[in-house]
Amino acid sequence: MGRKPCCSKEGLRKGTWTAKEDKLLTDYIKEHGEVGWRSLPVKAGLLRCGKSCRLRWVNYLKPGIKRGNFTTEEEDLIVRLYNLLGSRWSLIAGRIPGRTDNEIKNYWNTHLLKKLKSEGVEPKIHKSLAKHTKRQKEKANVSSQINQKGYKENKKRNKKGKIEENCNNIEDKEQVAKKTEEQCRNQDSVRVMSANNHDITCSSSSAGSTSEKETNCNNVHCSSSAQNLEENDNEIYEKLQVIDELLLNDNCLLPTECREFNSESQMLLMEFYEEYFQLVSENSCHFQDYAHSDLGF
DNA sequence: AAGTACATCAACCGCACGCAT
DNA sequence: GATGCGTGCGGTTGATGTACT
């Protein structure tokens, strides 16, 4: 018994959207919100599949979507995120304000791959992650599962729009940032703007003093003490969670008025990512699952 | 100007996941 | 635990535009 199709294909339009269809969809969503994609076409008077409506909205009609040429900074970011995450376009798109997964995917396949190859750079090969998620999950080791559990729950809460509830548990957004700031005192800092447009000074480098940082890194890479390893794992993992908490909520990443992605906000973003990538890559041998499994990020 | 090849990107398709029952 | 539904994701297709012959 096969799975039911998402909708009856009969009598439905396919292909390029017309301006009239766009307007119908936009008007409906403005009034009712992004809910019930399956029933939306009928209610909105569209002869389209619900999935098609969602795609059209998410990729083209949704406010704040940036069209047009990618900047070199964006290109660089895409390449580095790809090396970290593989072809997880939605995750990559989530870290580049105004860009959609589809656009980034197309840009990668049509421009960046060629560009990299012409420069003699072979992009990191990733397995087709989507098709291996189950297997990867099964492979995930016990300790990482324990570490990831809390984060996954946080992520789930965020997805459900319960960020406030989450913030009550681990303080609020500012406190999350403050926590990071405390952990990162004495480190080179980067500035990240909070949702409240407060400048938060924090670092995505390892916690504590420089010596502690070195100890952490050494332990992560080659400690023979299982206990130390576990403690440091948790510490670094928590740090990644805090950073990613900020990254995932792009309101935390950039204030609304910076959605235009002006040069100043772009600089701040790039600085922040520099630190972020450094931290992840420093610990990549131990946190591969964080960077590459569907549980991480 | 016409035909063909290639490039681009919007849109489609099928699968997997989370959630409700 | 099994099943079905709604949704989101990544891979792929195909229509359209552009360059070349």
Side-chain angles (χ1 to χ4, degrees):
Chain A
M1 190 176 73
R3 190 180 152 71
K4 272 187 179 179
C6 69
C7 55
S8 162
K9 310 280 181 201
E10 284 176 27
L12 294 186
R13 267 180 51 77
K14 286 173 77 171
T16 313
W17 280 64
T18 63
K20 191 184 171 188
E21 286 177 312
D22 283 346
K23 188 175 185 313
L24 280 171
L25 180 58
T26 306
D27 289 348
Y28 183 88
I29 291 175
K30 274 181 183 168
E31 196 177 334
H32 300 94
E34 296 175 47
V35 286
W37 291 111
R38 202 184 178 93
S39 58
L40 185 148
V42 176
K43 290 177 183 171
L46 286 160
L47 290 170
R48 291 275 182 176
C49 167
K51 284 173 110 175
S52 180
C53 293
R54 181 187 155 269
L55 200 70
R56 184 66 185 169
W57 173 255
V58 167
N59 284 329
Y60 302 96
L61 301 175
K62 197 173 183 172
I65 290 172
K66 193 166 71 164
R67 316 286 312 163
N69 294 341
F70 283 73
T71 64
T72 49
E73 285 82 8
E74 284 176 307
E75 282 185 4
D76 182 52
L77 203 47
I78 292 167
V79 172
R80 298 174 75 174
L81 283 164
Y82 182 89
N83 284 336
L84 258 183
L85 300 164
S87 58
R88 297 161 80 182
W89 305 114
S90 61
L91 287 178
I92 294 172
R95 286 152 178 76
I96 305 176
R99 299 293 187 184
T100 68
D101 54 356
N102 210 30
E103 194 179 14
I104 293 170
K105 179 172 61 184
N106 282 332
Y107 192 71
W108 174 266
N109 288 328
T110 57
H111 294 92
L112 286 178
L113 267 181
K114 283 179 202 166
K115 191 181 171 188
L116 290 174
K117 280 179 183 171
S118 73
E119 289 169 359
V121 180
E122 279 296 322
K124 202 169 177 175
I125 304 297
H126 292 272
K127 285 181 184 176
S128 180
L129 291 155
K131 292 182 179 176
H132 297 285
T133 49
K134 271 191 173 175
R135 232 172 292 167
Q136 282 183 334
K137 252 188 194 173
E138 285 160 12
K139 276 185 177 179
N141 65 44
V142 175
S143 67
S144 67
Q145 281 176 22
I146 292 165
N147 283 334
Q148 286 164 351
K149 196 184 169 192
Y151 179 68
K152 199 183 174 189
E153 283 167 0
N154 280 346
K155 191 184 169 188
K156 206 191 281 181
R157 274 195 292 272
N158 287 348
K159 202 174 177 182
K160 282 283 179 189
K162 293 181 180 174
I163 186 78
E164 290 82 7
E165 183 189 325
N166 184 30
C167 288
N168 287 337
N169 293 337
I170 39 169
E171 304 89 31
D172 59 14
K173 286 175 191 168
E174 281 187 48
Q175 283 171 308
V176 169
K178 200 175 173 183
K179 190 174 164 185
T180 311
E181 184 183 2
E182 282 166 9
Q183 286 175 339
C184 305
R185 198 165 290 143
N186 302 325
Q187 294 293 309
D188 296 333
S189 60
V190 296
R191 284 145 56 89
V192 180
M193 295 184 183
S194 75
N196 302 329
N197 295 350
H198 293 141
D199 282 355
I200 302 163
T201 302
C202 68
S203 168
S204 54
S205 303
S206 298
S209 67
T210 307
S211 60
E212 280 170 348
K213 178 185 171 182
E214 282 164 6
T215 309
N216 286 343
C217 294
N218 288 339
N219 280 340
V220 165
H221 285 292
C222 57
S223 170
S224 57
S225 159
Q227 197 183 339
N228 283 345
L229 190 64
E230 201 170 304
E231 283 168 10
N232 286 314
D233 281 357
N234 286 329
E235 195 175 329
I236 294 166
Y237 205 89
E238 275 172 23
K239 185 170 291 302
L240 283 166
Q241 288 175 15
V242 171
I243 295 164
D244 215 43
E245 185 84 23
L246 292 165
L247 288 169
L248 277 170
N249 185 343
D250 62 356
N251 284 331
C252 289
L253 186 62
L254 291 168
T256 316
E257 61 266 33
C258 287
R259 280 186 171 280
E260 294 290 321
F261 219 46
N262 59 41
S263 58
E264 194 187 348
S265 65
Q266 209 160 1
M267 282 295 292
L268 291 172
L269 184 60
M270 293 310 294
E271 282 178 30
F272 188 50
Y273 274 118
E274 283 294 332
E275 296 287 337
Y276 182 64
F277 280 115
Q278 193 184 331
L279 180 63
V280 175
S281 61
E282 272 174 3
N283 302 294
S284 62
C285 65
H286 203 69
F287 288 105
Q288 279 180 341
D289 51 338
Y290 189 90
H292 298 298
S293 84
D294 61 326
L295 296 173
F297 284 105

